[in-house]
Amino acid sequence: MASGGQKADVTVGVLALQGAFSEHVQLLRQAAQILDSKDAVKRHWAFLEVRTPAELASCDALIIPGGESTTMSLVAQRSQMLEPLRDFVKVLRKPTWGTCAGLILLAESANRTKQGGQELIGGLDVRVNRNHFGRQIESFQANLDLPFLKQADGKDFDTTQQPFRAIFIRAPIVEKLLPRVAGPQEGEAKVEGTVVAPSRPIDEQVAKSVKLGDVEVMGILPGRSAALKDDATKEKLDAEAGDIIAVRQANVFGTSFHPELTGDPRIHVWWLEQVRQWTEGAVHP
Ligand code: GLN
């Protein structure tokens, strides 16, 4: 909770229905300290595990953790959270970050999903391919170069200049950027094995300050070519540009990997700064 019993300036929730939520809360606390040490104005942050519609209603921003998206959507449905989550992300357009299973839930369209077995929240006009790299034993770590960490309004959140060590566990990738449409992604509904999120019109009042642009690619996992030493083969494979593993569209941010499992707070620091600016009305990308 906010320190000293004061009312929080910004309340950030972590959806705690299933998956790696407590790790996110820990890293958020660490990130808030780092952010406060950089800014002259201290803020009172509150971090909250969210399980009920009332808890969600008290949040200014939300993280949806990794775990199992099918289970998470089922539990959300049973605990009457699915519709409030859709309102939070798509009608009220509050800042929301999904990691791994969270990214799947925030996609407007998801592949490799049993019809009726998976409900999506939506918010990001993308199609994700679930379990893109295979099963649990095919999990891996990779060094990522994430340019957004170095470009945050002149603030450098990446003082280490080290690549970000990312953990991929049965991770999805963004396999297609979709056109932004006012209603549901109807074209996607016709794709075999794909489910789509129901549409939700943005709140009229919110629409005055939030511009819903197209999806921005924020991170790429280099293709095999980047890892090769042999230049001749490398050239042949250079067309393979890599997989999209981080995206943003207006208030919604999604990553395929699990920054909360590495103990590296850099992305949490960056995202909290985005949340701060968003809630203070300074930027709406
Ligand atoms: N493959 C999982 C799913 O479909 C996501 C895995 C994860 O969050 N680590 O939900």
Side-chain angles (χ1 to χ4, degrees), residues 144-177:
L144 298 178
D145 178 36
L146 297 172
F148 62 88
L149 290 179
K150 303 180 189 94
Q151 293 171 358
D153 293 340
K155 286 193 191 173
D156 190 349
F157 293 108
D158 191 7
T159 43
T160 66
Q161 304 292 316
Q162 297 296 316
F164 197 93
R165 188 92 185 135
I167 302 180
F168 292 81
I169 305 168
R170 287 182 302 118
I173 59 144
V174 170
E175 69 166 23
K176 193 169 183 205
L177 304 180

Coordinates of all heavy atoms in Angstrom, one line a residue, residues 144-177:
L144 N 17.8 -9.7 -25.5 CA 17.1 -8.8 -26.4 C 17.6 -7.4 -26.4 O 18.0 -6.9 -25.3 CB 15.6 -8.8 -26.0 CG 14.8 -10.0 -26.0 CD1 13.4 -9.8 -25.5 CD2 14.8 -10.6 -27.5
D145 N 17.6 -6.7 -27.5 CA 17.9 -5.3 -27.6 C 16.5 -4.6 -27.6 O 15.7 -4.8 -28.6 CB 18.7 -5.0 -28.8 CG 19.0 -3.5 -28.9 OD1 19.2 -2.9 -27.9 OD2 19.0 -3.0 -30.1
L146 N 16.1 -3.9 -26.6 CA 14.8 -3.2 -26.5 C 15.0 -1.7 -26.6 O 15.2 -1.1 -25.6 CB 14.1 -3.6 -25.3 CG 13.8 -5.1 -25.1 CD1 13.2 -5.4 -23.7 CD2 12.8 -5.6 -26.2
P147 N 14.9 -1.2 -27.8 CA 15.2 0.2 -28.0 C 14.4 1.2 -27.2 O 14.8 2.2 -26.8 CB 14.9 0.5 -29.5 CG 14.8 -0.9 -30.2 CD 14.5 -1.9 -29.1
F148 N 13.1 0.8 -26.9 CA 12.3 1.7 -26.1 C 12.8 2.1 -24.7 O 12.5 3.1 -24.2 CB 10.8 1.2 -26.0 CG 10.7 -0.1 -25.3 CD1 10.5 -0.1 -23.9 CD2 10.7 -1.3 -25.9 CE1 10.3 -1.3 -23.2 CE2 10.5 -2.5 -25.2 CZ 10.3 -2.5 -23.9
L149 N 13.7 1.2 -24.2 CA 14.2 1.5 -22.9 C 15.2 2.7 -22.9 O 15.4 3.3 -21.9 CB 15.0 0.3 -22.3 CG 14.2 -1.0 -21.9 CD1 15.1 -2.1 -21.5 CD2 13.2 -0.6 -20.9
K150 N 15.7 3.0 -24.1 CA 16.6 4.1 -24.3 C 16.0 5.4 -24.8 O 16.6 6.3 -25.0 CB 17.8 3.7 -25.2 CG 18.5 2.4 -24.7 CD 19.6 2.1 -25.7 CE 20.2 0.7 -25.3 NZ 19.5 -0.4 -26.0
Q151 N 14.7 5.3 -25.1 CA 14.1 6.5 -25.8 C 12.9 7.1 -25.0 O 12.0 7.6 -25.7 CB 13.6 6.0 -27.1 CG 14.6 5.6 -28.1 CD 14.0 4.9 -29.3 OE1 12.8 4.8 -29.4 NE2 14.9 4.6 -30.3
A152 N 12.9 6.9 -23.8 CA 11.7 7.4 -23.1 C 11.8 8.9 -22.8 O 12.2 9.3 -21.7 CB 11.5 6.6 -21.8
D153 N 11.3 9.7 -23.7 CA 11.3 11.1 -23.5 C 12.6 11.7 -23.0 O 12.6 12.4 -22.0 CB 10.2 11.5 -22.5 CG 8.8 11.2 -23.1 OD1 8.7 11.1 -24.3 OD2 7.9 11.1 -22.3
G154 N 13.7 11.2 -23.6 CA 15.0 11.7 -23.2 C 15.5 11.1 -21.9 O 16.6 11.3 -21.5
K155 N 14.6 10.4 -21.2 CA 15.1 9.7 -19.9 C 15.6 8.4 -20.3 O 15.0 7.6 -21.1 CB 13.9 9.5 -19.0 CG 13.5 10.8 -18.3 CD 12.5 10.5 -17.2 CE 11.9 11.7 -16.7 NZ 10.9 11.5 -15.7
D156 N 16.8 8.1 -19.8 CA 17.4 6.8 -20.1 C 17.1 5.8 -18.9 O 17.6 6.0 -17.8 CB 18.9 7.0 -20.3 CG 19.5 5.7 -20.8 OD1 18.8 4.7 -20.8 OD2 20.7 5.8 -21.2
F157 N 16.3 4.8 -19.1 CA 15.9 3.9 -18.1 C 16.9 2.7 -18.1 O 16.8 1.8 -17.3 CB 14.5 3.4 -18.2 CG 13.5 4.5 -18.0 CD1 12.8 5.1 -19.0 CD2 13.4 5.0 -16.7 CE1 11.9 6.1 -18.7 CE2 12.5 6.1 -16.4 CZ 11.8 6.6 -17.5
D158 N 17.8 2.7 -19.1 CA 18.6 1.6 -19.2 C 20.1 2.0 -18.9 O 20.9 2.0 -19.8 CB 18.5 1.0 -20.6 CG 19.1 -0.3 -20.8 OD1 19.6 -0.9 -19.8 OD2 19.2 -0.8 -21.9
T159 N 20.3 2.3 -17.7 CA 21.7 2.8 -17.4 C 22.7 1.7 -17.5 O 23.9 2.0 -17.7 CB 21.7 3.3 -15.9 OG1 21.0 2.3 -15.1 CG2 21.1 4.6 -15.8
T160 N 22.3 0.4 -17.5 CA 23.3 -0.6 -17.6 C 23.8 -0.8 -19.1 O 24.9 -1.4 -19.3 CB 22.8 -2.0 -17.2 OG1 21.7 -2.4 -18.1 CG2 22.2 -1.9 -15.8
Q161 N 22.9 -0.4 -20.0 CA 23.2 -0.6 -21.5 C 23.4 -2.1 -21.8 O 24.0 -2.4 -22.9 CB 24.5 0.1 -21.9 CG 24.4 1.6 -21.6 CD 23.4 2.3 -22.5 OE1 23.3 2.1 -23.7 NE2 22.6 3.2 -21.9
Q162 N 23.0 -3.0 -21.0 CA 23.1 -4.4 -21.2 C 21.8 -4.9 -22.0 O 20.8 -4.4 -21.8 CB 23.1 -5.2 -19.9 CG 24.3 -5.0 -19.0 CD 25.6 -5.3 -19.7 OE1 25.7 -6.4 -20.3 NE2 26.6 -4.5 -19.6
P163 N 22.0 -5.9 -22.9 CA 20.8 -6.5 -23.5 C 19.9 -7.1 -22.4 O 20.3 -7.4 -21.3 CB 21.3 -7.6 -24.4 CG 22.7 -7.8 -24.0 CD 23.2 -6.6 -23.3
F164 N 18.6 -7.1 -22.7 CA 17.6 -7.6 -21.7 C 17.6 -9.1 -21.8 O 17.3 -9.7 -22.9 CB 16.3 -7.0 -21.9 CG 15.4 -7.1 -20.8 CD1 15.3 -6.2 -19.8 CD2 14.6 -8.3 -20.6 CE1 14.5 -6.3 -18.7 CE2 13.8 -8.4 -19.5 CZ 13.7 -7.4 -18.5
R165 N 17.9 -9.8 -20.7 CA 17.8 -11.3 -20.7 C 16.4 -11.7 -20.6 O 15.8 -11.5 -19.5 CB 18.7 -11.8 -19.6 CG 18.9 -13.3 -19.6 CD 20.1 -13.7 -20.3 NE 20.3 -15.1 -20.5 CZ 20.7 -15.7 -21.6 NH1 20.9 -15.0 -22.7 NH2 20.8 -17.0 -21.6
A166 N 15.8 -12.3 -21.6 CA 14.4 -12.6 -21.6 C 14.1 -14.1 -21.5 O 14.8 -14.9 -22.2 CB 13.7 -12.0 -22.8
I167 N 13.1 -14.4 -20.7 CA 12.8 -15.8 -20.6 C 11.5 -16.1 -21.3 O 10.5 -15.4 -21.1 CB 12.5 -16.2 -19.1 CG1 13.8 -15.9 -18.3 CG2 12.1 -17.6 -18.9 CD1 13.7 -16.2 -16.8
F168 N 11.5 -17.1 -22.2 CA 10.4 -17.5 -23.0 C 9.9 -18.9 -22.6 O 10.6 -19.8 -22.7 CB 10.7 -17.5 -24.5 CG 11.1 -16.2 -25.1 CD1 12.3 -15.6 -25.0 CD2 10.1 -15.5 -25.9 CE1 12.6 -14.4 -25.5 CE2 10.4 -14.3 -26.4 CZ 11.6 -13.7 -26.2
I169 N 8.7 -19.0 -22.1 CA 8.1 -20.2 -21.6 C 6.8 -20.5 -22.4 O 5.8 -19.8 -22.2 CB 7.8 -20.2 -20.1 CG1 9.1 -19.9 -19.3 CG2 7.3 -21.6 -19.6 CD1 8.9 -19.5 -17.8
R170 N 6.8 -21.5 -23.2 CA 5.6 -21.7 -24.1 C 5.1 -20.4 -24.6 O 3.8 -20.1 -24.5 CB 4.6 -22.5 -23.3 CG 5.0 -24.0 -23.2 CD 3.9 -24.8 -22.5 NE 3.6 -24.3 -21.2 CZ 2.4 -23.8 -20.9 NH1 1.4 -23.8 -21.7 NH2 2.2 -23.3 -19.7
A171 N 5.9 -19.6 -25.1 CA 5.6 -18.2 -25.4 C 4.8 -18.0 -26.7 O 5.0 -18.8 -27.6 CB 6.9 -17.4 -25.4
P172 N 3.9 -17.0 -26.7 CA 3.3 -16.7 -28.0 C 4.2 -15.7 -28.7 O 5.1 -15.1 -28.1 CB 2.0 -16.0 -27.5 CG 2.5 -15.3 -26.2 CD 3.5 -16.2 -25.6
I173 N 4.0 -15.5 -30.0 CA 4.5 -14.3 -30.7 C 3.4 -13.6 -31.4 O 2.3 -14.2 -31.6 CB 5.6 -14.7 -31.8 CG1 5.0 -15.7 -32.8 CG2 6.8 -15.3 -31.2 CD1 5.5 -15.4 -34.2
V174 N 3.6 -12.4 -31.8 CA 2.7 -11.6 -32.6 C 2.9 -12.0 -34.0 O 4.0 -11.7 -34.6 CB 2.8 -10.1 -32.4 CG1 2.0 -9.4 -33.4 CG2 2.4 -9.7 -31.0
E175 N 2.0 -12.8 -34.6 CA 2.3 -13.3 -36.0 C 1.7 -12.4 -37.0 O 2.1 -12.4 -38.2 CB 1.9 -14.7 -36.2 CG 0.4 -14.9 -36.2 CD 0.0 -16.3 -36.7 OE1 0.9 -17.2 -36.7 OE2 -1.1 -16.4 -37.2
K176 N 0.8 -11.5 -36.6 CA 0.2 -10.6 -37.6 C -0.3 -9.3 -37.0 O -0.9 -9.4 -35.9 CB -1.0 -11.3 -38.3 CG -1.5 -10.6 -39.5 CD -2.5 -11.5 -40.3 CE -2.8 -10.7 -41.6 NZ -4.1 -11.1 -42.1
L177 N 0.1 -8.2 -37.6 CA -0.5 -6.9 -37.2 C -1.8 -6.7 -37.9 O -1.8 -6.8 -39.2 CB 0.5 -5.8 -37.4 CG 1.9 -5.9 -36.8 CD1 2.7 -4.7 -37.2 CD2 1.8 -6.0 -35.3

